[in-house]
Amino acid sequence: NAGVTQTPKFQVLKTGQSMTLQCAQDMNHEYMSWYRQDPGMGLRLIHYSVGAGITDQGEVPNGYNVSRSTTEDFPLRLLSAAPSQTSVYFCASSSTLGAGGPNEQFFGPGTRLTVL
Amino acid sequence: AQKVTQAQTEISVVEKEDVTLDCVYETRDTTYYLFWYKQPPSGELVFLIRRNSFDEQNEISGRYSWNFQKSTSSFNFTITASQVVDSAVYFCALSEGISGGYNKLIFGAGTRLAVHP
C-alpha cells in the first residue's frame, strides 16, 4: 500500500493563479481531510469529507474548494492564490468511527506551496 | 470553543535526560479523544497515541509515557532517557464531537524538542 500520496511536493505560484493539490489514498478510508501548517500555529483543518460526494468546511475554508467524486481521491483547489496561502498542506485519511472511537489519521508527505 | 494549548514552544535537552511535553485542552464535550503526533525533521506526521475521555489510565510504550488528567484538562507526554532521534516537533490534538464523526482534529501549536548528544 502506498498510503496517502500528495502531488506536487513543491509548488510556486503567482498571486491570482489557480491550481489543484492532489491527494489519493489506497486504504479504502471513508474520511479524508486537508490541513494547512503554518509556523507557530500547528495544523488547521481546511475541508473534510466523510465519504464520496460529501464534503464540509473546517476551520479555515476561505479560498479553497474541494470535491470527493471517489473514495480514493480528495483534491484541494486554490481558486485565486494569495500570499496568505503560502503554507505546507497535508492531506489525511482515516477509517470511519468505530466502536472504539476515531481511528488514527494517516497523513501524506505534504505539499509546500509558496505564493508570490 | 475547543482549544489545545502547548505552552512550551521549544525545549532543549541533553541526551539521556527525561523530558515532559505539556498539553492542556478545552472542550465542552463529555466524550472526546486526544492524540499525540510526532513530526521529525523530514516533515511527515507520525501517530503516537490516542486516548478517549473515559480512560484516565496512564500509558507507557517503551520510553514514552502519557499522563491524562481530566481534573486539570491535561494530557502530558514524557520521554524517558531521551535520544537524538527523538528530536522533532510534537503535536497534541483534540477531536471534536459528533459532527465529522470525531475525526476533525484541533491541533496545538506544537513543541519543538531538540535532543543534543
Side-chain angles (χ1 to χ4, degrees):
Chain A
N1 285 353
V4 180
T5 58
Q6 291 183 237
T7 56
K9 291 187 177 180
F10 301 94
Q11 183 70 50
V12 178
L13 292 177
K14 294 181 179 179
T15 297
Q17 288 184 315
S18 62
M19 80 159 295
T20 299
L21 306 185
Q22 301 292 343
C23 174
Q25 52 92 10
D26 61 359
M27 297 173 282
N28 201 32
H29 286 166
E30 293 196 9
Y31 186 89
M32 296 185 74
S33 54
W34 277 100
Y35 294 86
R36 59 178 288 174
Q37 181 178 13
D38 301 296
M41 301 186 72
L43 282 80
R44 292 180 293 168
L45 183 64
I46 304 172
H47 285 285
Y48 67 96
S49 169
V50 297
I54 306 171
T55 64
D56 205 348
Q57 296 181 350
E59 182 184 355
V60 287
N62 293 342
Y64 308 95
N65 274 357
V66 293
S67 60
R68 186 94 179 270
S69 56
T70 66
T71 299
E72 295 77 20
D73 301 298
F74 190 43
L76 177 72
R77 297 183 188 83
L78 280 71
L79 306 175
S80 178
S84 60
Q85 294 179 305
T86 294
S87 188
V88 180
Y89 292 85
F90 287 96
C91 179
S93 75
S94 66
S95 51
T96 50
L97 183 69
N103 295 309
E104 68 172 285
Q105 294 198 25
F106 292 83
F107 285 83
T111 294
R112 187 174 294 274
L113 175 68
T114 301
V115 183
L116 303 176
Chain B
Q2 299 183 323
K3 184 180 178 182
V4 176
T5 301
Q6 295 181 256
Q8 303 152 308
T9 305
E10 293 188 27
I11 300 175
S12 181
V13 299
V14 177
E15 211 170 15
K16 298 184 182 178
E17 284 187 31
D18 298 346
V19 58
T20 295
L21 283 61
D22 298 332
C23 173
V24 175
Y25 62 91
E26 297 175 27
T27 180
R28 293 183 180 177
D29 291 344
T30 55
T31 302
Y32 53 89
Y33 294 83
L34 296 161
F35 298 78
W36 277 94
Y37 281 86
K38 173 182 180 180
Q39 186 176 44
S42 52
E44 75 272 22
L45 284 148
V46 179
F47 167 80
L48 295 178
I49 190 171
R50 179 194 71 179
R51 172 67 65 200
N52 73 55
S53 54
F54 299 110
D55 182 0
E56 291 193 67
Q57 282 192 336
N58 292 333
E59 181 151 343
I60 299 174
S61 177
R63 297 183 296 106
Y64 295 172
S65 61
W66 289 268
N67 181 274
F68 177 33
Q69 294 195 343
K70 287 179 74 170
S71 60
T72 56
S73 297
S74 65
F75 187 43
N76 296 337
F77 173 33
T78 297
I79 301 175
T80 302
S82 59
Q83 300 177 2
V84 173
V85 293
D86 295 326
S87 297
V89 180
Y90 291 86
F91 292 99
C92 180
L94 168 72
S95 70
E96 285 195 336
I98 293 175
S99 173
Y102 290 97
N103 278 357
K104 293 166 64 177
L105 294 178
I106 298 170
F107 283 83
T111 297
R112 183 178 300 276
L113 173 65
V115 182
H116 303 284

